Amino acid sequence: MDLRLICRVLFLRAAWRRRDHWDAARIAAHQEHALQELRRAAYAGSGFYRRHHAGLHDAPLDQLPSVTKADLMDHFDEAVTTPDLRLADLENHLRSLTERGGDPGAPWNGRWWAAATSGTTGRRGTFAWNRSEWGTVLASYARANDWAGISAGLTRPLKMALVSSRVPTHQSAVVGASLRSGLVPALRLDVTAPMDETVAALNRFQPRILVGYASALKPLAAEQRSGRLHISPQGVMSASEVLSPQTASELEAAWGSAPFDVYAATETAGIASPCTYRNRHVYEDLLIIEPVDQAGKPVPAGTAGSKLLVTVLFSRTLPLIRYEMSDTVRLGGRGCPCGRSFTLLEDIEGRIEDILQLPGKAGSVNVHPIVFHHLLDEAGSSGWQVIQERSGLRVLLAGLAPGASAEGVRAAMSAALTEAGVVDTQVDVHVVERVERTALGKAPFVRGLPRPGK
């Protein structure tokens, strides 16, 4: 346990609770000041940002060019603000953690915490944080518990079970290892482990809070309803994957209350999480998010953007200013019975790489993941997956729900695609024990072909 780090997290959680009472004007003023400090630090320490924003150092945020993961990785050594941090050294450290083992919660060289994205969109990203930043990252995840009304303290430790990736380079592993203490007894379970082992471990541990990918929580809910799993978590939190309404209803049926759908990313840490009314609020004191269309123009509230630009107000080691994410989100207004004025996040509709481009009579046709959710949410008893391949679509059903059949699913899929204008696309349906997972244990519902440069 890193006592200094835990103390910083506790301090930040207490300080941030006062921000729950900020009004919109106070939030905007904080953002403006924090953005000025971020840009001042970036221009002083990062040659990449000085060049990327050349002639625009005093321009409004919305006039600055966006930055992609490829931009940052190609220019990592000059994008960071500390001269003794190099991408090659950092990747060697992460490779060593994976190959030789080690504690991902311990800072590398005593100074930095690091994590990497899986590279499922075609480009792996490596990110690093200093002690101050990492404390903020941890506190941002802890805030989700606070807003959900799940308290922790010396007299009532927060027993947390995390069903996700055990790969030491994944942020969930680094976060779990960093927070593990007497205050937060943590059980880290590998999402790829046999189900009977996971069920037995959870039954022994009896967590107060259960956190996991949606694709991991869905089969656990089935185990709970069958009577093999018998836990009574105070809260169930879904993270890192899209939580469909069907899966959410299954989790609620299993544990008696609606799950909390937490929105976060490796690069940014926590972005938004629900209050006790299950309204997701954006962490506007920690970051600025801009849903934009494909041309980079802002979209109005209530409209889903084609991608998301994120500015992380506390990032210093590797500044993130208008960082492009492929998430498709829809923002709402302000105001909630919980009393918070932070902007509402109405929906996360999926990711650009999950919108399949398939052949049509007059060119390519975009098929949104919702088409597959309507068809498959109730067909696979323990989950499903659509994988685009050069030859067509491969559909995996983890078990069959009563009344469903592989041929029936294939016919329904083909009919829906034809109705959407898709032609010459073969659909193959396979019933499997479990869906395919990425190197970091995620099981995206719809996996498109990799996009160049992402």
Side-chain angles (χ1 to χ4, degrees):
M1 179 178 68
D2 188 323
L3 187 58
R4 287 173 56 204
L5 195 60
I6 295 297
C7 287
R8 173 157 178 78
V9 172
L10 293 174
F11 169 79
L12 288 174
R13 289 179 71 176
W16 291 355
R17 290 188 188 107
R18 294 192 291 271
R19 299 180 180 182
D20 290 352
H21 305 289
W22 284 0
D23 60 17
R26 182 68 181 86
I27 294 170
H30 171 84
Q31 284 188 329
E32 182 179 0
H33 174 74
L35 178 61
Q36 290 175 351
E37 293 299 309
L38 168 63
R39 293 177 67 175
R40 184 177 295 113
Y43 299 151
S46 171
F48 169 80
Y49 274 104
R50 284 196 298 272
R51 184 180 68 255
H52 196 58
H53 294 172
L56 298 170
H57 288 195
D58 296 318
L61 180 66
D62 61 7
Q63 293 183 18
L64 300 178
S66 60
V67 59
T68 66
K69 186 192 302 180
D71 291 333
L72 287 182
M73 293 305 104
D74 287 343
H75 304 282
F76 184 95
D77 292 354
E78 62 170 340
V80 294
T81 59
T82 177
D84 49 355
L85 185 61
R86 292 288 179 265
L87 181 59
D89 297 335
L90 199 57
E91 290 185 334
N92 284 336
H93 160 66
L94 294 177
R95 190 177 303 112
S96 177
L97 273 181
T98 301
E99 295 174 353
R100 304 176 189 173
D103 181 6
W108 176 55
N109 287 345
R111 298 180 60 188
W112 293 293
W113 284 260
T117 64
S118 62
T120 53
T121 61
R123 184 64 182 264
R124 169 183 163 106
T126 301
F127 298 86
W129 302 266
N130 63 25
R131 178 174 291 275
S132 174
E133 293 165 321
W134 189 243
T136 304
V137 167
L138 297 179
S140 79
Y141 286 113
R143 171 182 265 180
N145 300 331
D146 290 338
W147 284 11
I150 303 172
S151 60
L154 294 174
T155 59
R156 197 180 185 197
L158 182 62
K159 295 181 69 177
M160 178 179 67
L162 180 64
V163 188
S164 63
S165 172
R166 288 297 301 270
V167 176
T169 61
H170 188 232
Q171 195 181 68
S172 65
V174 188
V175 168
S178 298
L179 287 175
R180 189 172 53 237
S181 64
L183 287 176
V184 187
L187 174 66
R188 292 169 52 213
L189 297 171
D190 191 337
V191 70
T192 64
M195 182 57 67
D196 57 348
E197 293 181 11
T198 300
V199 167
L202 288 170
N203 283 336
R204 289 192 300 269
F205 187 69
Q206 291 296 308
R208 278 185 60 203
I209 181 170
L210 176 64
V211 184
Y213 304 148
S215 61
L217 296 175
K218 180 182 173 75
L220 286 175
E223 293 292 310
Q224 179 82 14
R225 294 194 304 272
S226 73
R228 289 183 290 273
L229 178 64
H230 42 85
I231 60 175
S232 302
Q234 187 178 347
V236 176
M237 294 195 172
S238 174
S240 299
E241 293 177 351
V242 174
L243 177 66
S244 71
Q246 175 67 25
T247 297
S249 66
E250 293 177 20
L251 303 188
E252 184 172 3
W255 289 295
S257 62
F260 295 92
D261 190 6
V262 178
Y263 179 35
T266 297
E267 302 96 312
T268 63
I271 297 175
S273 68
C275 63
T276 54
Y277 291 89
R278 300 311 193 273
N279 293 323
R280 260 183 314 226
H281 296 269
V282 178
Y283 295 173
E284 293 180 285
D285 54 333
L286 304 181
L287 40 76
I288 298 171
I289 66 174
E290 304 171 77
V292 297
D293 62 20
Q294 198 60 47
K297 303 298 184 183
V299 299
T303 302
S306 295
K307 55 187 175 181
L308 189 68
L309 304 183
V310 183
T311 298
V312 180
L313 296 172
F314 63 87
S315 63
R316 293 294 185 273
T317 300
L318 178 61
L320 296 180
I321 302 175
R322 305 200 88 202
Y323 175 77
E324 282 193 22
M325 295 174 59
S326 57
D327 296 12
T328 307
V329 306
R330 185 174 73 245
L331 295 180
R334 300 183 186 273
C336 177
C338 75
R340 295 179 180 88
S341 295
F342 292 93
T343 293
L344 296 171
L345 177 63
E346 291 184 345
D347 199 12
I348 308 170
E349 297 187 358
R351 300 185 172 224
I352 287 178
E353 63 266 21
D354 293 339
I355 298 175
L356 301 186
Q357 292 185 345
L358 299 174
K361 291 181 179 180
S364 63
V365 175
N366 290 335
V367 180
H368 195 279
I370 195 66
V371 172
F372 305 113
H373 281 280
H374 287 328
L375 294 170
L376 302 176
D377 275 351
E378 297 185 20
S381 59
S382 295
W384 59 268
Q385 200 167 42
V386 175
I387 301 171
Q388 183 182 17
E389 298 175 334
R390 299 294 178 187
S391 58
L393 299 181
R394 181 160 53 98
V395 181
L396 305 181
L397 299 174
L400 280 173
S405 69
E407 178 54 32
V409 168
R410 190 202 64 76
M413 284 274 291
S414 296
L417 292 174
T418 298
E419 184 178 351
V422 176
V423 298
D424 300 328
T425 297
Q426 180 177 332
V427 178
D428 294 318
V429 178
H430 306 270
V431 180
V432 297
E433 289 189 5
R434 59 177 63 192
V435 295
E436 294 182 3
R437 295 188 178 274
T438 68
L440 294 183
K442 295 184 181 181
F445 284 115
V446 184
R447 186 187 300 174
L449 294 173
R451 291 170 179 257
K454 293 289 187 179

